Amino acid sequence: MKGGLQGLQAWVVQRVTAVYLALFVLVALGVLLGAPADAAAWRALVTHPFALLALALFYLALLWHAWIGVRDVFVDYLHVLWIRLAAYVLLAAFLIGCGLWVARVLLIATLP
């Protein structure tokens, strides 16, 4: 599996994305505690450029974190090569679909 993240690189990416995900969740919980009262205030909060960037980075980190974590599980437990490759394809299709869905949601949120 040349060209992909392996060993220490994958471990570092897992830890960096985990830290960002945890920090994002803590900040999001803080924002939810002081939640805006109406839909217009929520829309203004979510469509702020900083919030959109933070959300986009959150979902990218989440998808990357999931890819590395599940890929490692497949390597450990799927020993038949064609089954592992099929699982990779299904996982990649699912994660790409989730990423496209999130991109669509974020783009629709910015429309007037």
Side-chain angles (χ1 to χ4, degrees):
M1 201 173 233
K2 302 264 185 203
L5 291 177
Q6 295 179 356
L8 182 61
Q9 289 177 329
W11 185 86
V12 169
V13 169
Q14 278 288 102
R15 282 9 178 224
V16 169
T17 56
V19 167
Y20 181 77
L21 294 172
L23 290 175
F24 183 90
V25 167
L26 289 175
V27 170
L29 287 174
V31 169
L32 288 175
L33 289 176
D38 61 349
W42 270 107
R43 186 177 187 104
L45 175 69
V46 172
T47 58
H48 187 276
F50 180 73
L52 278 175
L53 177 63
L55 278 167
L57 288 175
F58 173 79
Y59 286 109
L60 285 174
L62 181 65
L63 293 172
W64 200 3
H65 189 86
W67 169 258
I68 293 172
V70 177
R71 183 199 65 182
D72 289 348
V73 170
F74 288 170
V75 167
D76 289 342
Y77 294 104
L78 298 178
H79 302 292
V80 179
L81 183 60
W82 70 270
I83 295 174
R84 187 182 320 157
L85 291 175
Y88 285 156
V89 169
L90 291 173
L91 175 64
F94 174 74
L95 293 177
I96 289 169
C98 288
L100 291 172
W101 176 73
V102 166
R104 180 178 178 266
V105 168
L106 292 177
L107 286 173
I108 288 173
T110 61
L111 296 176

